[in-house]
Amino acid sequence: MNKTKPDFNIFTNRPKNSKRMKKYIYSLVLAAVTCGGSLFAQSVDQGKKLFYYERYKSAKEAFEKALASNPNDNKASYWLGQTLLELKDTAAAKALFQKALASNGNAPELLVGMGHLELLEGKKEEARQRFETAISLTKGKDIGVLNAIGHSIVEVKDGDAKFVIEKLTPLTTQKGFNSPETWIVIGDAYRKLGDGGNAITSYQRALQIDPNQAAAKHRISKIYMTQKNTEVFLPALEEAIRLDPNYAPGYFDLYYYYFSRDVNKAKDYFDKFLAVTDATPANDYERTSILFAGRRYDEAIKTAQEYISKLGDNADPRYYKLIAYSYDELKDSVNAKKYLDEYFVKQKPDAFMPKDYEFRAILLSKFPGNEQEAIANYDKAIALDTAQASRLELMTNAAAQAKKSGNRELEAEYLGRLYQVKKDPSNVDMYNWGFANYQAKNYQRADSIFTQYQAKYPNEIYGYLWTARSKQAMDTSMAQGIAVPDYEKLAQKAMELDPVKYKGQAVSAYFYLVQYHNDIKKDKAAAMKYLDKILEVDPANADAARIKEILNKPQKKTGSSSGGSGTKAAPAKK
């Protein structure tokens, strides 16, 4: 016997046999679709938020979930691709975009994603065409697409930041504009161009739209961080995490800042970072590096070696660098160099930092015969560093290393580069540059630099002193007399500027002129004149009195008619 189905809906307890029932079923389907779309959108938005917090592992899971629900959602594909790029899985990102474009070749977001990849591959024209097509398809009105293009360009080393500013700035003047992300991308473009002022203004405008935009405040701190302006960048970092306590990058930078300054503060910020970020192998490395910061070098070495043994080829190459630094602190240069060499073998070329090359230069310099390679590593560090303040520090350190190795010519070269790139070089910078050239026996160059020094700092003695000495070094026999005008000027300036403070320089200059006129020109009267000047400045000068007495004695006949005194004056003091 067939059982009769109940004639009412078990969910609504209403009859099923009416038009209203059909409408109801339709509304349920529509609601389900709408609800599913909402959940999907929520999943993408959630992924974007996780991406913003740099929680890429969680973001990847969110976007994959969204795509599992709707494989044709282009926004989910775009953001998953961006997340894969952040996770350094370029191959997976490329496969994703290629597959998605095969199904929808005119999706703007996918075109932007593929354009980003092409930029990374150095295919600038292909990437630009993708971007222009995406802009054309959206009639230049889709802020999300334009933001994505801007992000792609500023993220890539050779990206055209001016193009970003040109395309995105007009959006900000449109009626109803309220995208803080746009201002952040514009700020990133200005920062890429080295225009810190306009970058900060852009980030501040993002904050005007969204006062809780921690990323904008974080980027402001980054600009002042590169300038080593602690009084500004530290409060900005602290403000970023106050605006959004879940903003992991802010905690990480505070941890990184205190890493070499206050290990307890560093650990505190790292723990706060761990509370709002994903668990990753990189975090294990940072935990180990805190041992180094706490000067627990043996423990840092042991822990790093355990991770290397456990993970094998998948171990973070930085463990080798950490071990190298630890051995260096333990004064074991042999093992330090051994592990740093391993680090340079295992690390990806684009992952090296300027300080890596500097540390390598320092280690190499401890082993005789590696001086040139050490300097070459300093050059790599300087070339890689884009921050002005740290580049200047590297050049200063490179010059010191060159001096220590006895390469005064290279020291002079670095100090010259340092002087040229400094925004406001000081008198000390110019002096060091000139003196290094003098020490390197580049006397003409030294003379040129100190002549400029005279013009720029006319009330300082050093320009006059070292032009005279440079000319003297170029004419050691005095035969050409090229240093004479400079020594006359040195004596004059010494007396004008401060005859007490610069008495020694005046006396030295006069002695040179005594020697020149007596020994080279055979002009006893001129020599006596300069001896008198010495005794005016320094009445107790025994050398001047002795030489004057000798010159005043009647000249012995030697059969020579040279007209000279026949007595050599005391050599000019250096």
Side-chain angles (χ1 to χ4, degrees), residues 334-552:
V334 172
N335 270 315
K337 183 177 179 299
K338 170 189 170 184
Y339 276 94
L340 192 66
D341 288 343
E342 280 288 303
Y343 169 70
F344 270 85
V345 168
K346 294 182 180 296
Q347 185 59 283
K348 295 177 181 177
D350 61 352
F352 289 115
M353 300 171 63
K355 285 291 183 181
D356 293 344
Y357 289 107
E358 183 183 24
F359 182 44
R360 194 180 197 191
I362 292 168
L363 275 183
L364 284 167
S365 67
K366 295 179 180 181
F367 297 88
N370 290 294
E371 292 81 7
Q372 288 304 115
E373 189 179 353
I375 293 301
N377 275 273
Y378 263 117
D379 284 336
K380 289 177 182 178
I382 293 166
L384 187 61
D385 204 328
T386 57
Q388 176 76 346
S390 52
R391 286 188 79 229
L392 295 177
E393 182 182 349
L394 282 168
M395 288 179 190
T396 302
N397 294 346
Q401 183 60 43
K403 180 180 180 179
K404 185 178 178 181
S405 67
N407 193 334
R408 305 310 294 265
E409 189 164 343
L410 193 59
E411 177 199 7
E413 180 185 330
Y414 277 123
L415 290 176
R417 290 166 63 182
L418 183 67
Y419 185 84
Q420 297 297 333
V421 300
K422 266 195 173 182
K423 186 177 180 181
D424 296 304
S426 67
N427 57 335
V428 175
D429 293 321
M430 182 174 268
Y431 175 85
N432 289 340
W433 179 26
F435 185 70
N437 274 280
Y438 180 86
Q439 293 290 89
K441 299 183 180 181
N442 296 330
Y443 300 123
Q444 288 187 335
R445 185 63 173 152
D447 177 55
S448 173
I449 294 167
F450 283 114
T451 298
Q452 295 174 53
Y453 192 103
Q454 289 180 28
K456 197 166 185 178
Y457 307 104
N459 295 323
E460 293 188 15
I461 198 68
Y462 306 107
Y464 309 104
L465 173 65
W466 288 102
T467 51
R469 290 186 175 179
S470 296
K471 292 272 182 43
Q472 180 183 354
M474 286 187 268
D475 182 21
T476 54
S477 68
M478 296 189 181
Q480 300 175 60
I482 58 174
V484 171
D486 293 276
Y487 272 112
E488 289 175 342
K489 192 173 185 179
L490 171 61
Q492 175 193 339
K493 283 294 181 180
M495 299 306 293
E496 288 178 2
L497 294 173
D498 191 331
V500 175
K501 183 177 180 180
Y502 298 125
K503 180 178 77 172
Q505 284 81 1
V507 168
S508 176
Y510 288 140
F511 264 122
Y512 182 89
L513 294 168
V514 168
Q515 185 176 358
Y516 173 75
H517 285 288
N518 184 71
D519 298 348
I520 304 302
K521 300 298 287 184
K522 310 302 180 185
D523 187 341
K524 179 179 176 181
M528 291 289 283
K529 180 184 75 172
Y530 286 112
L531 283 168
D532 288 339
K533 286 183 178 290
I534 293 172
L535 292 169
E536 286 176 18
V537 177
D538 183 12
N541 191 292
D543 285 336
R546 178 179 57 80
I547 294 169
K548 186 174 181 180
E549 183 181 350
I550 293 172
L551 293 182
N552 275 327

